[in-house]
Amino acid sequence: MKKAEIKLEVELDDNNVPDTIQWSSTDGQNTESLPTKAMFLALWDGQYKNSLRIDLWTKDMPYDEMKRFFYETLQTLGDSFLRSSGGDPMAEKIIGDLRDYCAHFAEKMEVLEQQN
């Protein structure tokens, strides 16, 4: 059995606000610690049937980048749900609704205009 480790290191200021976030993985091509400005970590607790989350971002994470991060995260959550659904037609319909919302979010937050 293969094992991999994902390591997160967060440096906090005196007010417990993240100054830096670093991550590394033993299963990638580059195992050295890499910087990031934000992260969402979601875990499922099978015993209590609820999710556990850690949402962190550094003080220097620009608002425009945060909007893009939210948009891309919503899009990829849809992708993950579709992969896990096993071809359920209702899941495909719901993800279509999510994609519509993502387009609405991107338009209202001017996410895609900033990319061009």
Side-chain angles (χ1 to χ4, degrees):
M1 173 183 281
K2 183 178 178 180
K3 288 187 178 184
E5 181 178 273
I6 299 170
K7 181 180 174 185
L8 298 166
E9 185 175 307
V10 181
E11 185 176 306
L12 305 172
D13 68 9
D14 293 336
N15 296 314
N16 289 328
V17 175
D19 266 330
T20 63
I21 302 171
Q22 301 271 336
W23 74 279
S24 62
S25 170
T26 59
D27 198 28
Q29 292 179 357
N30 188 354
T31 57
E32 68 184 50
S33 190
L34 300 170
T36 188
K37 292 182 181 181
M39 61 170 267
F40 297 144
L41 175 65
L43 305 166
W44 180 251
D45 184 328
Q47 179 180 355
Y48 294 105
K49 307 292 186 235
N50 65 355
S51 58
L52 309 167
R53 295 184 7 227
I54 299 173
D55 304 334
L56 295 175
W57 54 91
T58 61
K59 293 186 270 188
D60 66 342
M61 175 72 169
Y63 181 54
D64 288 344
E65 289 182 24
M66 183 60 86
K67 292 187 299 186
R68 179 67 187 234
F69 183 44
F70 268 81
Y71 168 75
E72 289 188 11
T73 299
L74 289 170
Q75 291 277 40
T76 58
L77 284 171
D79 297 340
S80 296
F81 189 72
L82 271 180
R83 282 194 312 272
S84 71
S85 73
D88 178 6
M90 182 54 73
E92 292 186 24
K93 181 195 177 320
I94 295 299
I95 296 308
D97 293 343
L98 178 60
R99 298 275 185 249
D100 290 344
Y101 173 74
C102 288
H104 173 77
F105 178 90
E107 178 184 344
K108 294 295 182 186
M109 298 303 288
E110 300 177 346
V111 170
L112 300 180
E113 288 83 5
Q114 297 165 10
Q115 180 181 353
N116 299 331

